[in-house]
Structure formats: structure tokens, C-alpha cells
């Protein structure tokens, strides 16, 4: 059965990464293993129903990992949010220009590939005839995969501080888990109904966070459930390579890797600047400013011991900014195309 095989591959890859002592090994190893399997033609699959389960589990885990003093740190967020806005402009302008001039991609493909996030929105616009959707998918998925791999490795070799997961004194019991999951699903469905980006993840996190800050529970998520969440998330990330042939991958991989390297460099410089102004771990700032998928960066935040409220808030704002920026850039591309046609 493809789903069982996919989860087994993710678990095996994650287990190997953990044995190697890599931080966030279950997540990073699983994502890489499933990606390789998908590229080799293995019957990898993650049905929509299971993906929603993953989103709920990630949201629950992020909410349960919120630091009790998160609200007291809000005063320092405007600095990082301003950096986020500047960073987005630089990333889109620089990587879009590079993909157009160096790799000769058409402007639609280049700039839709350069947007750091909102993949479903980007692909929806590509489906209307703007850019090459297959190339866009490859470049965007490479970005997500490389960030998932790069952050834990960077936390080992670079001065990116991370914390061991705190020792838990108590864990949520089965009844608490069922009640919390029901609340997370309900709020997630409301968020999806309201067309909130990443609605199920954000809705589940909002419910779990509100319940924790409201004193309804103080216990942690059971460790086996957290490990299962990482395995499922790794499988989800890797499964995005299904249907992409090796020829297609190689055609767009170089541009995707360079664009990702540029993006990581820009994020790192911005995070270094913000770290000089706020009293926060550099790694936490980096994950908040990173252009990875919310579910992937949120899971990494949990694995590395960071404040998930800070990370999630910045990713929500990033998605909101992109909701306005993507249509604006597409309109500009269309205008330039029409003007070029008239001049011809």
C-alpha cells in the first residue's frame, strides 16, 4: 500500500538521521528519504485526509510548545516584522532577476518561483497561464526541502543556538488529547471556511495555544505522538516530488538550488541584524524569518526547542504580505507582457 510504504520510508530515514545524532532527525531524515524514493519512482502517496491529520497534529504540537511568556515578548516583534517585510522584497527582486537573466526563464515562471511561500496560491495563479507550473513546483519544493535539511545541519556546524527539549513532568492523557484534537479540528475547519492560508495548521495551533495560555492544560504532548508528527511531516514534504521526472528535476534544479542559497543568505543576514536589536535566540529569529512552509518550520521549532508562537506569528504575517504581493507582481508582469506585445 503506497501510504504505508511512504510512512515506512519516512520512519526509516528519520531513524537513521537520529542515529547519526542530527537535530530534528525524524523530520529531516524522513523528508529526504521520501524525496529520494519519489524521485526513484517509488509509489509514494499522502492522501488529502492524512495530510489534514498531519496539519492538525502539527498545530496541536506547536500550540502545546508555546512558551508561557510568549505574550511578554510581543514588544520586540515589530523589529523582526519590519525585517520580514524588507526581506521579502529583496528575495523576490533578487531571485526573480537571477532566474530571468541567468537561467532565461520567462518572467512569470521566474517571479512566481521566487515568492517565498504561499505555494497553493502561486500554483493557482500559474494554472491560469502565468509561467510554467511544473518548473515553479520544482523550484518551490526544492526550497522547502533544502530549508528543512539545512536548518538542523546549520544548528550543528554554525553558531545557531538550539535548546534541548525541556524535561516534561507530565503528558496529556488520552481524554485530554481527544478533547484538544476536537477543538483544534473545529477551529481549523472554521479557518479553512474563512479561506485563511494554511487554515488547518493555523486553526489547530490557535485552539491549542488559546487553551494552554487560558490554563486549560499545562501538560506536554506525548513523545511518541511528537515523533509520529515529525515522521508524517517528513513524508508530507517528500511526497511533493511525486510526478516530477528526473529530467524535469534536473532542468530546474540548478536554478532552484541557487535561488534557495540566495534566499538563505538574505534571511541569515536579516536575522543577524535583528539579533543585534532584540534579546532572542538567533535560531528562533531565523526560523521566524525563514521562507519555509509553516508546517516544516513549525515542526523544526518544536524539535529545536524554540518559541513556536513567535515562529507561527511571523509566518502568518509573511503569508498575509504575500497575499497582496503576489497579485501585484503578476499584474505588473502582465502589464509588461502587453506592453512588449504592443511594441512588437
Amino acid at each position: 500500500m503506497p501510504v504505508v510504504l511512504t510512512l515506512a520510508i519516512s520512519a526509516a530515514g528519520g531513524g537513521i538521521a537520529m542515529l547519526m545524532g542530527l537535530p530534528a532527525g525524524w523530520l529531516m531524515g524522513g523528508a529526504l528519504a521520501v524525496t529520494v524514493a519519489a524521485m526513484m519512482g517509488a509509489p509514494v502517496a499522502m492522501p488529502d485526509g492524512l495530510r489534514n491529520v498531519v496539519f492538525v497534529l502539527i498545530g496541536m504540537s506547536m500550540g502545546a510548545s508555546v512558551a508561557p511568556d510568549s505574550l511578554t515578548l510581543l514588544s520586540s516583534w515589530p523589529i523582526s516584522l519590519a525585517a520580514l517585510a524588507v526581506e521579502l522584497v529583496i528575495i523576490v527582486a533578487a531571485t526573480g532577476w537571477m532566474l530571468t537573466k541567468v537561467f532565461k526563464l520567462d518572467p512569470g515562471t521566474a517571479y512566481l518561483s521566487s515568492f517565498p511561500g504561499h505555494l497553493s496560491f502561486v500554483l493557482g495563479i500559474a494554472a491560469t497561464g502565468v509561467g510554467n507550473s511544473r518548473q515553479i513546483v520544482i523550484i518551490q519544493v526544492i526550497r522547502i526541502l533544502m530549508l528543512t535539511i539545512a536548518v538542523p545541519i546549520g544548528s550543528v556546524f554554525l553558531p545557531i543556538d538550539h535548546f534541548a527539549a525541556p524535561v516534561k513532568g507530565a503528558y496529556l492523557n488520552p481524554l485530554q488529547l481527544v478533547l484538544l484534537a476536537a477543538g483544534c479540528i473545529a477551529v481549523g475547519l472554521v479557518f479553512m471556511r474563512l479561506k485563511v492560508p494554511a487554515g488547518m495548521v493555523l486553526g489547530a495551533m490557535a485552539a491549542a495555544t488559546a487553551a494552554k495560555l487560558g490554563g486549560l492544560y499545562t501538560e506536554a504532548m506525548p513523545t511518541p505522538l511528537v515523533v509520529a508528527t515529525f515522521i508524517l511531516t517528513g513524508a508530507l514534504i517528500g511526497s511533493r516530488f511525486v510526478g516530477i521526472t528526473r529530467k524535469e528535476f534536473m532542468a530546474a534544479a540548478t536554478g532552484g538550488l541557487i535561488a534557495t542559497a540566495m534566499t538563505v543568505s538574505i534571511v541569515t543576514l536579516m536575522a543577524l541584524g535583528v539579533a543585534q536589536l532584540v534579546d532572542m535566540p538567533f535560531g528562533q529569529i531565523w526560523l521566524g524569518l525563514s521562507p519555509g512552509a509553516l508546517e516544516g518550520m513549525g515542526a523544526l521549532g518544536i524539535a529545536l526547542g524554540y518559541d513556536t508562537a513567535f515562529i507561527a506569528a511571523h509566518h502568518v504575517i509573511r503569508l498575509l504580505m504575500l497575499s497582496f504581493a503576489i497579485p501585484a507582481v503578476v499584474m505588473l508582469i502582465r502589464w509588461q507582457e502587453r506592453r512588449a506585445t504592443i511594441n512588437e
Side-chain angles (χ1 to χ4, degrees):
M1 187 175 177
V3 176
V4 175
L5 176 63
T6 303
L7 297 181
I9 293 171
S10 181
I16 293 171
M18 286 299 294
L19 290 175
M20 294 172 64
L22 296 174
W26 287 113
L27 177 63
M28 181 187 71
L32 186 57
V34 175
T35 297
V36 172
M39 296 299 298
M40 293 178 66
V44 170
M46 283 290 282
D48 290 344
L50 185 56
R51 277 190 292 178
N52 285 331
V53 170
V54 178
F55 293 153
V56 171
L57 287 173
I58 293 170
M60 287 175 61
S61 298
M62 291 175 69
S65 301
V66 167
D69 61 348
S70 294
L71 297 179
T72 65
L73 300 175
L74 285 173
S75 60
S76 64
W77 289 13
I79 296 173
S80 53
L81 289 174
L84 178 64
V86 174
E87 165 193 290
L88 291 179
V89 173
I90 296 173
I91 288 173
V92 173
T95 57
W97 179 88
M98 182 275 297
L99 291 171
T100 302
K101 300 300 182 182
V102 178
F103 290 92
K104 308 303 180 184
L105 297 182
D106 64 273
T109 300
Y111 283 94
L112 287 180
S113 297
S114 71
F115 282 110
H118 234 333
L119 182 57
S120 58
F121 191 10
V122 167
L123 293 180
I125 291 178
T128 66
V130 180
N132 183 320
S133 60
R134 301 286 285 188
Q135 288 182 316
I136 293 169
V137 167
I138 295 170
I139 294 173
Q140 289 278 14
V141 174
I142 285 174
R143 172 180 57 81
I144 295 170
L145 177 66
M146 293 309 297
L147 286 169
T148 305
I149 294 171
V151 175
I153 293 176
S155 71
V156 174
F157 296 105
L158 300 176
I160 300 177
D161 44 353
H162 65 280
F163 313 113
V167 177
K168 306 298 183 182
Y171 296 94
L172 291 164
N173 62 44
L175 178 59
Q176 288 176 306
L177 284 171
V178 170
L179 293 175
L180 182 60
C184 288
I185 292 170
V187 178
L189 291 173
V190 171
F191 275 39
M192 291 178 67
R193 182 87 177 192
L194 295 174
K195 307 296 184 184
V196 176
M200 186 57 77
V201 177
L202 292 177
M205 183 187 174
T209 300
K212 184 167 187 179
L213 295 180
L216 297 182
Y217 73 97
T218 57
E219 297 84 357
M221 293 279 285
T223 301
L225 187 57
V226 175
V227 171
T229 300
F230 291 155
I231 292 171
L232 287 164
T233 306
L236 175 63
I237 293 170
S239 68
R240 287 173 170 149
F241 280 92
V242 172
I244 296 174
T245 65
R246 273 171 281 188
K247 182 178 179 181
E248 285 179 310
F249 177 81
M250 294 308 297
T254 304
L257 289 172
I258 294 176
T260 302
M262 291 174 62
T263 299
V264 169
S265 299
I266 293 167
V267 171
T268 302
L269 290 173
M270 295 299 293
L272 282 170
V274 173
Q276 309 309 309
L277 303 173
V278 301
D279 183 19
M280 241 180 250
F282 173 78
Q284 179 173 297
I285 298 170
W286 200 99
L287 281 177
L289 297 181
S290 72
L294 173 61
E295 61 270 17
M297 296 302 104
L300 281 172
I302 296 167
L304 298 176
Y306 293 131
D307 178 10
T308 52
F310 175 87
I311 295 169
H314 283 66
H315 282 272
V316 171
I317 298 298
R318 175 173 58 87
L319 293 174
L320 182 61
M321 291 177 179
L322 289 175
S323 296
F324 292 97
I326 293 171
V329 172
V330 170
M331 289 174 61
L332 180 60
I333 291 171
R334 291 285 204 188
W335 176 75
Q336 289 179 330
E337 289 175 346
R338 284 196 299 269
R339 193 173 70 167
T341 301
I342 293 173
N343 291 337
E344 290 176 359

